[in-house]
Amino acid sequence: MGTLEPIGEAVPEENRALAEALRTLFDSLGISMRRYAARCHTDPGTLSRYLKGLRIPSWSFIVNLLAHVAEARESQTSDEAVALLRQLYVRAAGATTGTKRTADLQRLLEEADEQAREAASLERLLRQTLHESQQQIDHLNVELKALRAVRAADRQAAKAEIELFASEADDLRQEREQLQAEIDVLKKQLKEATNARMLAEERCDQLERQIESVEAREGKKTEEEPSHIDTRTAAEHVHTATDEAQQSAAQKYAEAQDQMTAAQERIAALQSELEDAKRERLREESTATLRKHLVSASPEEASVEGLPRSLAVRLGYGPDQVLRRVDAASRVDPEDVRPILTRAFDLQTKDEAERTRQLLSNSPIRVRLIFNEVVTRSIKGAAISAKEDPESRVRPVD
């Protein structure tokens, strides 16, 4: 490791005190001068002059030496030792005016360099933060544009759907008016047929009374004829007259029966047409109800009870809205139930889907099975902690 050369006699007292303090610190490292010079990126001759007191080192060199000593001892240097070393350094640096000026400038240079390095580090950190923030803003802008595009597409689709239902509603309204007119005509014809049947029945009753009257009159006439008249001839005459009267009455009765049968058939046909008209009117009212639900779920409504509306609610596929849609579709066209539930599940959140499942618990089993199948086959199905419907194990949905 080598021994340090002694400090010369001509070295000023201030430099000697500083050099001795540096020697004490250097000796605690236990390494050679050349090795430490390589560690500090310093010339060995310069390091030797520092330790001999021939040259005043910079304060940064002393700070690095303190750090190396603390590392070798595995303990921090006390504040008193640092303060004492700083005092020795100031006294040695201020021994001569030129040396003091140089030391002050060196100290200022070190402080300025440290500030420059801190500023550079801060600049790099700020640049990196700015870059990350800009990337995040760009990413958010892309997502925002995508959401706006989806919203515009959904709004356009909903508008087209509402226009389609409005057109169908107008057609159904016209058809309802035509059916109402036909119903009025059928009611009038039914009334006429009922009157005709009543007249026919009254005519039958009248003919029956005439037959009874004729039979009674013929029987009385037979009793009042003289005994000299030939009984056989009178009987034949009475029998012939009775037959003719019975035949005439039977013919009129048959005609009345035919009229009554035709009237009954007409009444049955009118009743069948009336039932068809009622069913068609019920279908039109159900379609109008469905359109009313769609219009009431317009995206133009901003909020419900002061709270922001979800995308599903704004598009008319909230839990309550889906229940009304399913009820209306079940009455009009049951095949529309599956597209409604599929669309609703794609738009709803987890809580809304769970609420929809609860509302459908009182619906027909086919509706519940369709909803369970939609949840199972959907990608979002894993996110729904739906309670399994025991009836869903009975059979698959057709």
Side-chain angles (χ1 to χ4, degrees), residues 73-106:
R73 294 178 179 177
E74 297 183 356
S75 63
Q76 295 293 330
T77 306
S78 63
D79 294 339
E80 293 80 3
V82 175
L84 177 60
L85 198 59
R86 178 67 179 179
Q87 184 178 2
L88 294 176
Y89 169 75
V90 171
R91 289 174 57 189
T96 61
T97 305
T99 306
K100 183 178 180 181
R101 179 60 178 171
T102 302
D104 292 340
L105 292 176
Q106 183 69 26

Side-chain angles (χ1 to χ4, degrees), residues 17-306:
L18 178 61
E20 289 177 354
L22 294 179
R23 282 170 174 260
T24 302
L25 293 174
F26 178 75
D27 289 339
S28 63
L29 294 176
I31 60 176
S32 64
M33 188 182 303
R34 185 176 300 278
R35 181 176 173 183
Y36 186 71
R39 179 183 298 182
C40 297
H41 306 285
T42 306
D43 182 73
T46 302
L47 179 58
S48 177
R49 287 190 290 272
Y50 289 162
L51 298 178
K52 291 179 181 180
L54 301 177
R55 185 174 179 181
I56 304 301
S58 63
W59 178 248
S60 61
F61 172 82
I62 298 175
V63 171
N64 291 333
L65 179 59
L66 290 172
H68 294 154
V69 171
E71 181 181 357
R73 294 178 179 177
E74 297 183 356
S75 63
Q76 295 293 330
T77 306
S78 63
D79 294 339
E80 293 80 3
V82 175
L84 177 60
L85 198 59
R86 178 67 179 179
Q87 184 178 2
L88 294 176
Y89 169 75
V90 171
R91 289 174 57 189
T96 61
T97 305
T99 306
K100 183 178 180 181
R101 179 60 178 171
T102 302
D104 292 340
L105 292 176
Q106 183 69 26
R107 186 172 62 256
L108 293 175
L109 177 61
E110 292 173 359
E111 294 176 357
D113 180 67
E114 184 177 359
Q115 293 177 359
R117 285 188 286 107
E118 291 178 356
S121 177
L122 180 60
E123 181 183 5
R124 288 193 299 270
L125 179 61
L126 292 176
R127 286 183 182 275
Q128 183 179 0
T129 305
L130 178 61
H131 180 68
E132 293 176 355
S133 300
Q134 188 64 41
Q135 285 184 338
Q136 187 175 4
I137 290 174
D138 295 339
H139 180 68
L140 292 177
N141 286 334
V142 172
E143 291 184 354
L144 181 60
K145 290 181 180 179
L147 289 176
R148 287 177 177 174
V150 171
R151 181 181 178 184
D154 291 340
R155 180 178 296 178
Q156 200 68 19
K159 183 179 180 180
E161 188 176 0
I162 292 175
E163 291 178 353
L164 176 61
F165 276 105
S167 177
E168 293 180 356
D170 293 337
D171 296 338
L172 291 174
R173 189 179 297 106
Q174 295 178 359
E175 186 175 357
R176 181 188 64 180
E177 294 176 355
Q178 295 176 359
L179 290 174
Q180 187 63 44
E182 293 180 2
I183 289 173
D184 296 338
V185 174
L186 291 175
K187 287 182 178 180
K188 183 177 180 180
Q189 293 178 356
L190 177 61
K191 184 177 180 180
E192 293 177 354
T194 302
N195 294 332
R197 179 180 60 80
M198 295 176 63
L199 291 175
E201 291 180 353
E202 184 178 354
R203 178 63 176 169
C204 290
D205 294 339
Q206 183 179 2
L207 290 174
E208 288 179 356
R209 290 194 298 270
Q210 289 179 0
I211 291 173
E212 292 176 356
S213 176
V214 170
E215 290 178 349
R217 189 168 54 251
E218 292 296 333
K220 185 177 181 180
K221 184 184 292 185
T222 301
E223 293 177 358
E224 293 177 354
E225 287 182 352
S227 59
H228 65 273
I229 299 177
D230 186 69
T231 305
R232 183 177 178 180
T233 303
E236 291 177 353
H237 179 72
V238 171
H239 182 69
T240 301
T242 303
D243 289 342
E244 291 177 354
Q246 289 179 348
Q247 290 178 358
S248 176
Q251 183 177 1
K252 293 181 178 179
Y253 182 77
E255 293 177 355
Q257 287 287 349
D258 293 340
Q259 293 178 358
M260 185 173 65
T261 301
Q264 290 176 348
E265 292 177 353
R266 180 58 178 168
I267 290 172
L270 292 174
Q271 289 177 345
S272 177
E273 293 178 1
L274 182 60
E275 291 296 329
D276 294 339
K278 289 181 178 180
R279 285 194 295 271
E280 186 65 25
R281 183 176 181 180
L282 177 60
R283 177 178 177 274
E284 189 274 337
E285 292 177 351
S286 300
T287 304
T289 302
L290 177 60
R291 176 180 176 270
K292 180 180 179 181
H293 294 330
L294 290 176
V295 173
S296 65
S298 174
E300 299 299 327
E301 297 179 3
S303 61
V304 176
E305 297 180 357

Side-chain angles (χ1 to χ4, degrees), residues 310-322:
S310 65
L311 179 61
V313 175
R314 293 199 302 271
L315 295 181
Y317 287 92
D320 297 331
Q321 297 164 333
V322 169

Side-chain angles (χ1 to χ4, degrees), residues 292-364:
K292 180 180 179 181
H293 294 330
L294 290 176
V295 173
S296 65
S298 174
E300 299 299 327
E301 297 179 3
S303 61
V304 176
E305 297 180 357
L307 299 178
R309 296 172 62 96
S310 65
L311 179 61
V313 175
R314 293 199 302 271
L315 295 181
Y317 287 92
D320 297 331
Q321 297 164 333
V322 169
L323 184 62
R324 294 196 297 269
R325 282 174 175 263
V326 169
D327 291 342
S330 298
R331 293 194 299 268
V332 178
D333 189 358
E335 296 299 326
D336 292 338
V337 174
R338 183 183 298 274
I340 291 173
L341 294 178
T342 302
R343 176 67 171 168
F345 187 74
D346 290 339
L347 293 174
Q348 289 178 353
T349 62
K350 177 181 177 181
D351 294 337
E352 289 175 335
E354 177 62 19
R355 173 62 178 167
T356 301
R357 186 192 65 76
Q358 294 175 358
L359 292 177
L360 293 178
S361 61
N362 296 327
S363 300

